[in-house]
Amino acid sequence: MTERADDDVVDVLLAGPVFFDLIFTELNAVPRPGTEVHAEALASSPGGVANLAVATARLGLGTALATTLGDDLYGRWCWEFLADHEGIDLSSSRLAPDWPTPVTVSIASGGDRSMITREEPSPVPVGALIGDRLAARATFADLGAMARGDRADDAWWRAAARAGTKIFADIGWDSSERWDGADLQPLADCFAFTPNESEAMAYTRTQTAVAAARALAERVPLVVVTRGDEGAVAIDSARGEEVIVPAVPAVGRDATGAGDVFGASLVLGTLREWPLEQSLSFAALCASLAVEHPGGALAAPGWGDLADWWERTRGGGDRELIARFSFLADVLPEASDRRRRSESTFHFADYRATAARPSFPDKRGTS
């Protein structure tokens, strides 16, 4: 892994928990209490904020991640995967002794998924990991976590916003269903807000995604309301643009991490100053490619996967798709720079190799 200098500016800075994910897909029945079912496929992957980190890195964005992993089997494997396999900067991350890496088991069935998670509070505050050593062009904030009181340590991204970092905010479902407008107050420090249709309409007390987006556009410069199979609607207040795009056809296997892939792709288009419709279509395409493969971070497409899709699409003769994504011909990098999604999975041999590496003890500690 390449260590960064203190004054480096990365494209994307991410912070939050990383989970060791086990994802079961292609089940022969829906699990019920007292029964056993079998899965045809199993994927192992870093999850949580790692989904975003891998998605941005595979699109060629310089990505730094501040997180704490347990100094255990799962944590060391996640570190190895993220740093050495995906090239993510972990110099603001730590391996913590005597603390278990969070674990999630995800079961994808019937077009949806269920999850079981075991997580203990991190022994290291996010602010202590990041400090004031890193500048970034973009980062993400979880307003839902703040509303639930899950993350009191959010000062780091507010400071980043004041320094010019673009903050992309998400929120999540309000289980209390109060949809308190106070939950949206942090948007005053954000550049973009990306709720789904149900969340956006509930918070704005509107009846359509377009009406919700227009209401939210009064709070934040860029609003993107995702609509699942119906695509997305976006408003860029600064440019005076309002765009509605359809979804990209996909054969869905596992939706784990698809929203993170959408967000990562939107950041790429924003940082490259693409037209809003192009950025939104690109994000929809990347998300559609992600759901066709199991594994959260493993499913995040790289430029090689996008090039493969573009070649198949041009050969398939779908004139509407070809016209919509003709911009890909101009933005695809050279073949040598086209990364592809990973087929890597968890092996005990990986841990044995990692355990022998002398670099890991230097990453331990709580400060």
Side-chain angles (χ1 to χ4, degrees), residues 16-19 67-70 96-103 117-126 129 149-152 366:
V18 169
F19 300 78
T67 192
T68 302
L69 289 164
D98 303 318
W99 181 75
T101 297
V103 175
T117 295
R118 202 279 182 177
E119 176 187 12
E120 291 186 4
S122 172
V124 189
V126 169
L129 291 171
D150 294 347
R151 187 188 299 167
T366 57

Side-chain angles (χ1 to χ4, degrees), residues 166-170 187 190-195 212-225 233-243 262-263 265-271 274-277 279-280:
K166 286 182 167 61
I167 311 297
F168 288 73
D170 202 352
L187 288 178
C190 297
F191 169 78
F193 185 38
T194 60
R214 289 172 179 170
L216 291 169
E218 298 177 3
R219 290 176 170 266
V220 69
L222 175 63
V223 175
V224 178
V225 178
V233 56
I235 296 177
D236 185 329
S237 302
R239 294 179 176 178
E241 294 182 89
E242 181 176 310
V243 173
F262 185 97
S265 309
L266 182 67
V267 167
L268 176 77
T270 300
L271 294 183
W274 288 352
L276 182 58
E277 184 172 1
S279 293
L280 208 59

Side-chain angles (χ1 to χ4, degrees), residues 194-355:
T194 60
N196 67 33
E197 184 176 30
S198 298
E199 296 155 357
M201 291 190 299
Y203 272 111
T204 58
R205 275 65 172 175
T206 54
Q207 300 302 312
T208 68
V210 172
R214 289 172 179 170
L216 291 169
E218 298 177 3
R219 290 176 170 266
V220 69
L222 175 63
V223 175
V224 178
V225 178
T226 57
R227 306 175 64 199
D229 293 341
E230 298 298 318
V233 56
I235 296 177
D236 185 329
S237 302
R239 294 179 176 178
E241 294 182 89
E242 181 176 310
V243 173
I244 299 174
V245 301
V248 179
V251 180
R253 294 181 63 194
D254 179 16
T256 304
D260 294 321
V261 170
F262 185 97
S265 309
L266 182 67
V267 167
L268 176 77
T270 300
L271 294 183
R272 291 192 175 184
E273 300 183 345
W274 288 352
L276 182 58
E277 184 172 1
Q278 179 174 320
S279 293
L280 208 59
S281 290
F282 181 76
L285 172 59
C286 290
S288 75
L289 294 179
V291 302
E292 293 187 336
H293 292 263
L298 295 182
W303 283 109
D305 304 297
L306 288 157
D308 295 342
W309 179 88
W310 179 232
E311 184 176 353
R312 292 193 305 269
T313 300
R314 287 189 301 170
D318 187 324
R319 294 182 179 179
E320 184 176 344
L321 274 181
I322 292 172
R324 180 181 176 188
F325 290 98
S326 60
F327 66 86
L328 285 176
D330 298 321
V331 302
L332 284 168
E334 296 295 327
S336 59
D337 295 326
R338 296 176 183 176
R339 297 181 57 189
R340 284 177 169 80
R341 62 170 56 89
S342 173
E343 299 298 332
S344 177
T345 190
F346 183 74
H347 296 291
F348 284 100
D350 294 337
Y351 173 71
R352 288 195 297 269
T354 300

